[in-house]
Amino acid sequence: MAAVKFEWSSSVPEWLANVPDDPRNWHGGEQIGKGYFRTVRVAKWDTRLVVKHAQPSGGIGHNYREFHTWSEVGFTQWSKWFAPVVAISEDGRKLLQVRAINSGKPVGKVPEFFSDLKEDNWGWLNGHAVCLDYGYTKLATMGLKKVRMKRWD
């Protein structure tokens, strides 16, 4: 997959206009990830996006947490560390996220609010490491003030 140049601004990137309005039409194609709570598939209508399908065992909560986390950090200096969330279905079963290239290796220093540092949770977007799975972070307890970087080896 070619790298995607993605920037949030006051306007939505033109290519996001192709997202189907009805979440029932957010079909995933190739499966590129699977965890205990969710399955991740490349969006059939645009390979620059992924669809995170929640498992009944708790994935809906992860989808909502990622959506709310992105809502809080999306326009801060910390947004570059997160794969952007585009949309969530009303029932939380499907989450759309910008696709990043999975790194499969530690990325060096990361903000200390990230707690689940598995290599599979990280990828690259715009030449920068981003967290792909941020359903669990320390943001609720830490907030964004006085965040430091920590070493991840």
Side-chain angles (χ1 to χ4, degrees):
M1 182 189 105
V4 174
K5 179 68 175 162
F6 186 85
E7 290 182 36
W8 282 110
S9 64
S10 59
S11 62
V12 175
E14 184 178 312
W15 57 270
L16 285 180
N18 297 329
V19 174
D21 291 333
D22 188 341
R24 291 176 295 189
N25 295 324
W26 294 355
H27 301 297
E30 173 193 359
Q31 181 175 313
I32 59 171
K34 182 167 175 48
Y36 186 73
F37 297 113
R38 299 182 291 185
T39 301
V40 182
R41 296 182 176 275
V42 177
K44 278 191 174 182
W45 69 93
D46 195 325
T47 60
R48 293 172 286 195
L49 298 171
V50 296
V51 182
K52 292 185 173 182
H53 296 269
Q55 305 296 331
S57 61
I60 292 172
H62 276 331
N63 280 352
Y64 279 128
R65 276 192 295 279
E66 279 190 9
F67 175 77
H68 290 295
T69 298
W70 178 252
S71 298
E72 294 294 321
V73 302
F75 293 98
T76 72
Q77 67 183 9
W78 303 104
S79 64
K80 68 182 179 182
W81 291 97
F82 296 82
V85 170
V86 174
I88 190 169
S89 62
E90 282 186 23
D91 63 5
R93 292 182 187 275
K94 295 180 182 179
L95 178 98
L96 294 182
Q97 190 174 55
V98 174
R99 184 179 181 189
I101 300 168
N102 191 283
S103 65
K105 61 182 179 179
V107 296
K109 287 188 174 183
V110 298
E112 63 185 339
F113 49 71
F114 289 115
S115 53
D116 191 359
L117 297 179
K118 291 188 311 196
E119 288 88 355
D120 289 345
N121 289 348
W122 291 82
W124 293 91
L125 186 64
N126 298 343
H128 194 277
V130 293
C131 188
L132 308 174
D133 181 355
Y134 44 94
Y136 285 123
T137 68
K138 297 177 186 173
L139 281 172
T141 56
M142 288 182 63
L144 290 173
K145 297 183 191 256
K146 299 182 182 178
V147 174
R148 297 178 314 214
M149 300 297 283
K150 69 177 179 181
R151 184 99 192 127
W152 175 25
D153 296 320

